[in-house]
Amino acid sequence: MNSYETSATVENEGEVHIAGVPFAPGTKVEVTISRKRVSAEEFVAAWMRVCADLRGRTGMEELSDEDICQEVDRYRAGP
């Protein structure tokens, strides 16, 4: 096995404990920590809330999904 994925909760003092990993004691491993991903349903609901909020602003009532996606892409591309 080359990789193992699990989830944990950050404890006091910023500590994270992971037990029962499928590697032998002494095995060197790489550790990457990121916020747990939301489900597809939660992502879609959040996206819909963002779009509704944007369209609720004065002068943005006609903003299309494509307009919003293009702006997000421009932002991610950086300066």
Side-chain angles (χ1 to χ4, degrees):
M1 173 180 284
N2 291 327
S3 67
Y4 173 74
E5 186 171 326
T6 189
S7 62
T9 301
V10 178
E11 298 175 4
N12 293 335
E13 306 298 323
E15 295 178 353
V16 176
H17 298 268
I18 302 172
V21 297
F23 301 103
T27 301
K28 291 187 179 192
V29 297
E30 292 182 10
V31 177
T32 302
I33 298 175
S34 60
R35 185 177 289 251
K36 187 171 173 87
R37 290 168 258 166
V38 298
S39 70
E41 293 82 14
E42 291 171 310
F43 178 83
V44 168
W47 177 255
M48 298 303 284
R49 285 191 304 273
V50 167
C51 292
D53 178 60
L54 288 171
R55 291 187 183 108
R57 297 177 184 206
T58 303
M60 301 222 177
E61 299 84 1
E62 301 300 319
L63 196 61
S64 71
D65 287 349
E66 185 176 331
D67 294 331
I68 295 170
C69 288
Q70 287 174 353
E71 183 60 30
V72 169
D73 290 341
R74 280 193 295 274
Y75 176 82
R76 286 180 177 163

